[in-house]
Amino acid sequence: QWTRDGFGLGNERQLYAFKRYQMIGSDEEGDYSLQISPVTLEDDSVFQCQATGNVNIPGIRSQEAKLTVYVPPGSPEVSPGPVVKTTAGSAVQLTCRSKGGKPAAELQWLDGEGRMVTEGVQYSTKVLKDGHRQDSKSVLSFIVSRQHYNKIFTCTASNPALNQ
C-alpha cells in the first residue's frame, strides 16, 4: 500500500477513496508504482510505499518521497497606476502585488531602460489560509527627479511553476 503523510491510501490497484490515485505496474514484476492524475496542491505531501510481511518475513517500507507541487503566481499588479503624476522632489511609492504562488513569486522592478532596480525596494510575503500558497508584495520607494519624467517602471513576477 501507499501512504500520504502517514495515512494509508489502500492496498487495491484502483484506490477507490482517492479517485486521482492508482497503483500501476504489474503483479508479476512486483511493480506497484503510484500514479496521480491530475496532480493538485493537495498532493504536496510525503508518500511512502509499504509492503506487509507474514509469519517469517517482516513488513518493509520504502524511503519517503516528498512531492512538491508548484502553483504559478497571479499576474503582477502595480498601484497606484497606470499613470502617476507628481512633482520633482516628492516621495513616490509604487507597490507590486502577485497573489497565490507556490513558492511565493519573486518580484522584480525594471526601469524604463530594462535595468533591474534594487535600491529602495522592500519585499514581503504572506502565507494564505491553505498553508501552501503565498501572496508577494514589493514596494519601490524613491524621490522623484527630472530623470523620472515619462519613465516607465515595470514589475515582473516569477516562480518555478512558470516557463518564463
Side-chain angles (χ1 to χ4, degrees), residues 35-103:
Q35 177 178 301
I36 305 171
S37 182
V39 173
T40 67
L41 187 55
E42 172 187 16
D43 303 317
D44 190 272
S45 304
V46 175
F47 292 86
Q48 185 179 58
C49 180
Q50 300 176 347
T52 309
N54 64 26
V55 176
N56 299 320
I57 302 171
I60 57 173
R61 298 174 182 220
S62 69
Q63 291 181 329
E64 292 182 338
K66 170 74 173 118
L67 177 60
T68 300
V69 178
Y70 294 137
V71 177
S75 296
E77 297 176 6
V78 177
S79 62
V83 176
V84 177
K85 294 183 180 187
T86 189
T87 308
S90 299
V92 168
Q93 279 193 342
L94 301 177
T95 301
C96 177
R97 287 181 166 74
S98 176
K99 296 182 178 180
K102 181 176 180 297

Side-chain angles (χ1 to χ4, degrees), residues 124-140:
S124 62
T125 61
K126 177 183 166 189
V127 178
L128 299 180
K129 288 180 183 178
D130 65 18
H132 294 279
R133 296 175 302 134
Q134 297 182 56
D135 289 347
S136 301
K137 178 172 112 175
S138 179
V139 179
L140 171 60

Side-chain angles (χ1 to χ4, degrees), residues 76 78 94 96 108-112 115 117 140 152-156:
V78 177
L94 301 177
C96 177
Q108 187 176 72
W109 287 99
L110 303 173
D111 68 11
R115 293 182 302 242
V117 178
L140 171 60
I152 296 173
F153 287 90
T154 304
C155 178
T156 63

